[in-house]
Amino acid sequence: MTHPITLESAGGEYMESVVVVEWTKKPGEAVAEGEVVVVVETAKAASEIPAPHSGYLQEILFQPGEEADIGSVLGRIGDEPSASASAPAESAAPAPKAADDTPAPAAPSAAKGGARVVATPLARRVARERGIDLHDLRGTGPRGRIKLRDVEAAKAAPKPAAAAPQESAGPIRDAVPVVFLHGFGADKTAWSRVVPLIDRAVTPILIDLPGHGASDVGAIARFDDVVEAVAAELDDKGITAAHLVGHSLGGGVALALCGLGRIAVHSLCLIAPAGLGPEINGGFLDGMANARSAETLEPWLDAMTGDDFALQSGYARTVLRQWQARDTQKTLAEMAEGLFPGNTQSMRLVSVLADLAIPAKVLWGLDDRIIPSAHAFSASAGVGLHLMKGAGHVPHMEQPALTARLINELARAG
Amino acid sequence: MALMRYAEALNAALREEMTRDPSVFLFGEDIGRYGGVFKVTRGLQEEFGFNRVRDTPISEQAMTAMAVTAAMTGTRPVLEIMYADFMPLTLDALVNQASIYEYIWNGQVKMPFVLRTQGGGGAGAAAQHSKSLDSMVAHIPGIKVVAPSTPADAKGLLKSAIRDDQPVVFLEHKLLYNMRGEVPEGDDVLVPLGAASVTREGTDVSIFATSRMVHESLKAADALAERGISAEVVDLRSLKPLDLNAIKKSIAKTNNAVVVNEGWNFCGYAAEISATIMDFCFDDLDAPVARVTMPDMPIPYSEPLEMAVLPNAEKIVAASLQTLA
């Protein structure tokens, strides 16, 4: 199956249209979820769009220099390194030399965005296992064949600097991954400002909570069932150990996962988490679920941030369009009613936090208008408290550098 | 352990099995009074009598059909076909009778017979007396094929073949009969069918060889060692059933394979092993599998020409180096 790379994945930068600056992958190349796959330029700045799914870049629909509207599908990621991957005409490698003058009918081997790589089965296998792109290697075997020794050499040699310096072209990431769990009403793109700043040694895994983003799972009204669904998704992804980062509702889920014992949690970073007290901004929950126009949604989205941070104009309109495309608000209403009945947080997780024996931090914006920052003080003495001046409910969007630094500290310690 | 020649080891195996089991008997051309052209059956007619060691006319087709019926009716015949080059005359009995009777009669008959023969070049015996037709018999389902390369294996494998309830074609090599080697003593020292043997351990390239080519491969491994290359030599011993695990294990270690067999190249035994390696070890291969075989041509009588066309250590070294290039 294929996974569209849409402009809605652009995270914080929402505009009416963008210009594609460059693709960091060629068709046919492997790409990991969360890795930058295409850079687009908004009126304000260049923005990196992470891959929504791991797989192989299959199709590029907008070439560099072309303008794409919000909501456009920029390209597609396939689960398999498809032989039919269509290379863009301009960047297609020289076609295989025809042995005769007869025009070849559809040439199945011409694909994969470049000359066919000649490599031994062993070299291919080892490169695949280590995430090394054979296109980057020079073969030293007969007729330029790439052999195991060439793959071994590539591993030893430092990678040439990639175009986007903070992004890796897929080095080996064998450390315990960091799993990110977003908050109520958001989706995994909420982390787009933090993920590029995470240590390259660790793999970021971005999860869409049930009923949110591109999750296959619909509305779930019981908190324990939400936790169970996330645990099941981690199981499916083969994740048995992780550093957990959770925001708001996702923070509550992360904390509950620590108590569940299904995966080995190496460290925990909670950002304005749910579950540490009863209060939550009911107007925000209702507004999110019921706003039918950008004008009525915008004030509630603004409520997420502190005074120092303004969401971009057009943000509310884009969010609403995405929600309407997926009927998200009905799901949000159902979940809000179950998780926060009577505008009260139903999940009670203070004792789980008190029992934690792993490195853990709680981050909270002092200007949080959704969940009071005072909840932070229910954390036990073994947990690090980081109260962030000037930040509201979404420090990972408002102060991504500091947030990423604190997450990195935990990932290194755990 | 006793030091004995390959031919003597075979003779010992026959004597021991005939002593152990009165249903074992031998027949073939010149095997009785003359003791066989390679002296494998020397002294057995005197010891066991004319009834159990029989000389036959030159009639390979009839002899093989006789072996089939004798095996079906409760004895364990060991038939000698003087040269492997005459094996085509035995084929109807092998392809249409021996290999399928147990199957078409639903297991009501067993087919415990051994067809001993010898092949191979290097003796100046020319185009009608030098061939290796390993693949021709290994191609037939229901027939086991064995090719010992040492006196110890010659004895142990022949004893296992005689005790086996399926037809076994036992391929000896004319240049090995005089080879001396240590042979374990004891009536019950068997070498199982279907088990390869790692003759020399190595880490860089696996050389899979059969029969006399094992010794050429060992010479090649010495020459490769001088270049700092560690070659592993695997003696397949049982051409069929094949010891697939031994092949997989070796390639998992070396990632490179050279297959050496004295038979013709096209549709040859080495081709089968190469294809099997690609079926089961593809992702472990760091180079195409190389074959060292006899070219597709008659074996010349002229000694320089015969030496030029037979596979040898020099060609095995070259193939190994090409694999590692």
Side-chain angles (χ1 to χ4, degrees):
Chain A
M1 88 181 261
T2 62
H3 312 274
I5 303 160
T6 63
L7 256 188
E8 292 155 359
S9 310
E13 304 284 354
Y14 291 88
M15 303 297 288
E16 284 305 292
S17 69
V18 299
V19 174
V20 173
V21 177
E22 74 163 319
W23 289 85
T24 62
K25 299 283 173 184
K26 288 188 272 230
E29 284 186 352
V31 58
E33 181 181 321
E35 200 180 353
V36 170
V37 66
V38 55
V39 180
V40 299
E41 198 172 60
T42 66
K44 202 174 166 192
S47 178
E48 293 163 330
I49 298 187
H53 205 278
S54 294
Y56 298 85
L57 184 58
Q58 198 177 58
E59 213 175 357
I60 288 177
L61 298 173
F62 287 86
Q63 295 302 316
E66 287 182 13
E67 191 172 331
D69 285 338
I70 297 293
S72 303
V73 175
L74 297 179
R76 289 180 203 284
I77 290 171
D79 287 338
E80 304 293 332
S82 155
S84 64
S86 57
E90 290 84 354
S91 68
K97 287 190 190 77
D100 54 38
D101 295 336
T102 322
S109 65
K112 296 212 190 150
R116 195 180 83 85
V117 169
V118 178
T120 67
L122 179 66
R124 286 181 189 280
R125 191 193 81 199
V126 172
R128 190 166 62 234
E129 286 166 0
R130 296 180 183 171
I132 293 171
D133 186 347
L134 290 170
H135 286 91
D136 297 343
L137 304 188
R138 202 178 68 81
T140 60
R143 297 190 299 282
R145 183 186 296 145
I146 297 169
K147 303 195 70 167
L148 175 66
R149 60 182 176 239
D150 304 316
V151 178
E152 300 275 7
K155 189 198 166 197
K159 282 295 283 190
Q166 76 277 35
E167 187 43 50
S168 70
I172 315 134
R173 297 182 171 203
D174 47 10
V176 175
V178 180
V179 170
F180 289 86
L181 301 169
H182 62 77
F184 179 81
D187 63 34
K188 64 187 176 190
T189 62
W191 302 105
S192 63
R193 286 159 187 252
V194 166
V195 166
L197 307 176
I198 296 300
D199 280 351
R200 287 173 57 163
V202 292
T203 306
I205 308 273
L206 309 180
I207 304 277
D208 276 333
L209 292 181
H212 290 67
S215 170
D216 302 332
V217 183
I220 295 182
R222 274 190 68 230
F223 179 71
D224 289 351
D225 295 341
V226 174
V227 175
E228 180 57 38
V230 173
E233 180 165 357
L234 294 176
D235 268 354
D236 285 350
K237 288 180 184 287
I239 296 166
T240 55
H243 302 282
L244 295 184
V245 179
H247 169 238
S248 195
L249 174 61
V253 172
L255 188 48
L257 282 171
C258 295
L260 203 59
R262 288 268 287 275
I263 63 166
V265 181
H266 285 233
S267 76
L268 181 66
C269 182
L270 300 176
I271 303 169
L276 301 187
E279 300 91 347
I280 187 164
N281 184 335
F284 170 77
L285 294 173
D286 291 345
M288 295 276 276
N290 298 319
R292 290 293 174 266
S293 68
E295 289 67 33
T296 50
L297 180 62
E298 198 161 10
W300 297 113
L301 292 179
D302 272 341
M304 290 196 303
T305 62
D307 290 337
D308 296 346
F309 187 88
L311 290 167
Q312 240 171 322
S313 68
Y315 180 74
R317 186 162 40 239
T318 311
V319 169
L320 199 62
R321 195 181 301 167
Q322 272 180 251
W323 281 358
Q324 284 164 351
R326 293 174 181 147
D327 209 9
T328 299
Q329 279 173 301
K330 185 165 168 283
T331 307
L332 291 182
E334 275 179 57
M335 290 185 71
E337 194 174 330
L339 299 172
F340 309 110
N343 298 329
T344 303
Q345 299 193 36
S346 66
M347 61 296 287
R348 306 180 69 168
L349 302 166
V350 174
S351 62
V352 180
L353 189 56
D355 290 344
L356 278 188
I358 53 171
K361 293 179 190 292
V362 172
L363 283 54
W364 223 301
L366 284 171
D367 297 340
D368 193 328
R369 290 180 274 175
I370 309 298
I371 301 178
S373 56
H375 287 192
F377 295 101
S378 62
S380 51
V383 175
L385 271 193
H386 299 263
L387 301 176
M388 297 161 78
K389 255 187 200 163
H393 188 58
V394 284
H396 49 299
M397 293 171 79
E398 301 165 85
Q399 298 183 16
L402 176 58
T403 305
R405 195 192 99 196
L406 297 173
I407 294 170
N408 284 333
E409 284 175 11
L410 280 169
R412 284 174 209 144
Chain B
M1 296 285 248
L3 190 65
M4 54 173 84
R5 295 179 195 274
Y6 186 93
E8 292 166 346
L10 292 167
N11 184 275
L14 292 170
R15 176 177 288 105
E16 286 174 17
E17 292 308 300
M18 290 178 82
T19 306
R20 175 181 171 272
D21 181 350
S23 74
V24 176
F25 75 105
L26 319 182
F27 61 107
E29 296 158 13
D30 293 335
I31 67 160
R33 182 189 296 247
Y34 187 57
V37 285
F38 297 99
K39 302 300 170 198
V40 172
T41 51
R42 191 203 307 251
L44 295 179
Q45 194 175 60
E46 288 91 324
E47 188 171 344
F48 294 97
F50 288 92
N51 214 24
R52 292 183 70 193
V53 183
R54 301 183 178 207
D55 283 312
T56 61
I58 300 175
S59 53
E60 284 84 0
Q61 192 169 356
M63 288 148 66
T64 315
M66 241 172 79
V68 169
T69 41
M72 282 168 62
T73 49
T75 59
R76 291 184 177 268
V78 179
L79 165 65
E80 180 179 306
I81 298 292
M82 196 186 286
Y83 281 82
D85 307 70
F86 312 147
M87 286 295 291
L89 291 162
T90 71
L91 280 179
D92 180 61
L94 295 182
V95 174
N96 290 317
Q97 299 166 34
S99 60
I100 54 177
Y101 278 173
E102 186 175 351
Y103 168 72
I104 63 177
W105 286 328
N106 197 22
Q108 294 178 87
V109 297
K110 298 287 178 210
M111 197 58 66
F113 87 86
V114 177
L115 188 160
R116 287 182 44 246
T117 188
Q118 61 76 31
Q128 290 173 313
H129 294 82
S130 302
K131 288 191 279 295
S132 300
L133 296 175
D134 312 2
S135 65
M136 191 179 74
V137 276
H139 186 58
I140 308 166
I143 305 264
K144 294 178 179 176
V145 184
V146 175
S149 70
T150 65
D153 284 347
K155 185 181 176 198
L157 285 170
L158 183 54
K159 287 166 71 77
S160 292
I162 292 170
R163 297 185 192 187
D164 200 273
D165 279 343
Q166 279 188 299
V168 178
V169 172
F170 197 89
L171 299 172
E172 299 159 14
H173 196 291
K174 59 176 70 66
L175 290 192
L176 292 178
Y177 284 127
N178 280 324
M179 175 193 174
R180 286 173 194 273
E182 293 285 352
V183 177
E185 288 174 275
D187 282 1
D188 285 313
V189 181
L190 304 179
V191 174
L193 307 185
S197 151
V198 178
T199 305
R200 173 181 174 132
E201 293 206 15
T203 53
D204 296 332
V205 56
S206 300
I207 303 174
F208 299 102
T210 62
S211 189
R212 189 174 76 82
M213 288 302 120
V214 172
H215 303 289
E216 292 299 311
S217 300
L218 289 169
K219 280 190 232 166
D222 284 338
L224 288 165
E226 285 171 18
R227 294 165 176 261
I229 294 166
S230 163
E232 175 149 306
V233 177
V234 179
D235 179 356
L236 294 176
R237 298 200 295 196
S238 268
L239 275 51
K240 188 182 188 176
L242 182 65
D243 189 348
L244 183 57
N245 280 334
I247 292 174
K248 289 201 274 195
K249 204 171 143 191
S250 185
I251 291 179
K253 184 165 66 165
T254 65
N255 305 125
N256 292 291
V258 175
V259 185
V260 191
N261 176 259
E262 212 183 307
W264 285 310
N265 193 61
F266 192 88
C267 284
Y269 188 72
E272 179 59 37
I273 300 305
S274 303
T276 301
I277 289 170
M278 279 182 273
D279 281 345
F280 292 96
C281 312
F282 186 77
D283 283 329
D284 279 335
L285 287 175
D286 202 24
V289 179
R291 281 181 285 168
V292 182
T293 55
M294 169 73 196
D296 299 319
M297 60 175 286
I299 296 174
Y301 174 57
S302 148
E303 189 184 342
L305 289 181
E306 183 181 23
M307 290 306 131
V309 297
L310 284 175
N312 58 27
E314 200 182 320
K315 294 177 186 178
I316 298 166
V317 168
S320 302
L321 292 175
Q322 192 191 350
T323 300
L324 294 165

